[in-house]
Amino acid sequence: MRTSRFGLLAATAALAMAATAAQAADLPSRYSPAPAYNAMPVFTWTGFYVGANVGYGWNTGTSRYYDPAFGYVGSGRSGGFVGGGQAGYNYQLGMFVLGAETDIQYATVGNKGASYGTVYYSGNSDGFFGTIRARIGVAFDRALVYGTGGFAYRDVGGNSAHDPVLGYHRGNSTNGGWTLGGGVEYAVSNNISAKVEGLYVNLDTKSNYALGDQHHDRRDTEFGVLRAGLNYKFN
């Protein structure tokens, strides 16, 4: 009889525990689900871009002309406005950014005139120059510090006066050379970046003064450029 009583009590306790567990399972959970994790997109310099720039250029070379009586006479250095557009592509590897860029610029940095003896020939300073360059830089998140260098070409300034007696003529012509420089660029958004850049351009010296079959003129074509620009990067 005592055994039956113990069995009945054990069965009753088991049923009570099962009911309590079932009720607890039906109650709402006290813990909120883990919030979804949305990672912020990481900025990258990789991509094609186009842009525009404005700045100042100054001629660091000289333009001298040979006078049979006076030797080399006349020289001039000048500077002025430069402005144009650029396009290129960057590829980012870790902190390093490799790229290529080409640009074309309107420039007023040519020598404006020439003297031959006591005669002065007025010239023009308008022209253009362009570059095709490699770029390599180090990125600090949205800031990029880079160096650049490559091929340069130009037709900057010139004097097209002609003396029918002396046979003097200096005309514009396009010639090539090289350029080196560097800059700093900062991405103000995922698509827009602003930059400040400096370039040194050195182009082939060319003889342009003709007297019979004599070529006596020496024109040094070297100039520096400091410019600011904006780029738009395509995603």
Side-chain angles (χ1 to χ4, degrees), residues 56-59 78-82 107-112 125 129 156 223-224:
Y56 183 81
W58 61 96
N59 197 328
S78 58
F81 171 83
V82 297
T108 60
V109 298
N111 295 306
K112 293 179 169 59
S125 62
F129 78 92
V156 178
F223 55 94

Side-chain angles (χ1 to χ4, degrees), residues 57-146:
W58 61 96
N59 197 328
T60 63
T62 61
S63 182
R64 299 195 298 171
Y65 304 87
Y66 184 78
D67 185 302
F70 301 102
Y72 281 106
V73 297
S75 65
R77 303 186 181 202
S78 58
F81 171 83
V82 297
Q86 67 271 350
Y89 179 80
N90 288 321
Y91 185 75
Q92 185 167 354
L93 293 167
M95 290 184 62
F96 297 98
V97 178
L98 306 177
E101 182 175 289
T102 183
D103 66 278
I104 186 73
Q105 307 287 134
Y106 170 78
T108 60
V109 298
N111 295 306
K112 293 179 169 59
S115 297
Y116 186 84
T118 59
V119 181
Y120 177 79
Y121 297 92
S122 61
N124 67 76
S125 62
D126 296 348
F128 74 90
F129 78 92
T131 68
I132 302 172
R133 294 172 286 110
R135 299 204 319 170
I136 181 169
V138 179
F140 302 92
D141 191 20
R142 292 178 176 268
L144 175 65
V145 180
Y146 64 89

Side-chain angles (χ1 to χ4, degrees), residues 169-220:
H169 177 76
R170 172 184 164 193
N172 293 333
S173 60
T174 303
N175 51 344
W178 55 272
T179 181
L180 285 175
V184 178
E185 191 167 355
Y186 184 79
V188 297
S189 72
N190 287 341
N191 299 103
I192 304 295
S193 62
K195 70 174 183 177
V196 177
E197 183 178 75
L199 291 178
Y200 169 74
V201 183
N202 187 307
L203 299 163
D204 294 337
T205 299
K206 187 171 183 179
S207 296
N208 295 98
Y209 165 64
L211 182 59
D213 59 353
Q214 302 293 316
H215 293 270
H216 301 289
D217 174 36
R218 187 175 73 187
R219 284 180 67 192
D220 296 331

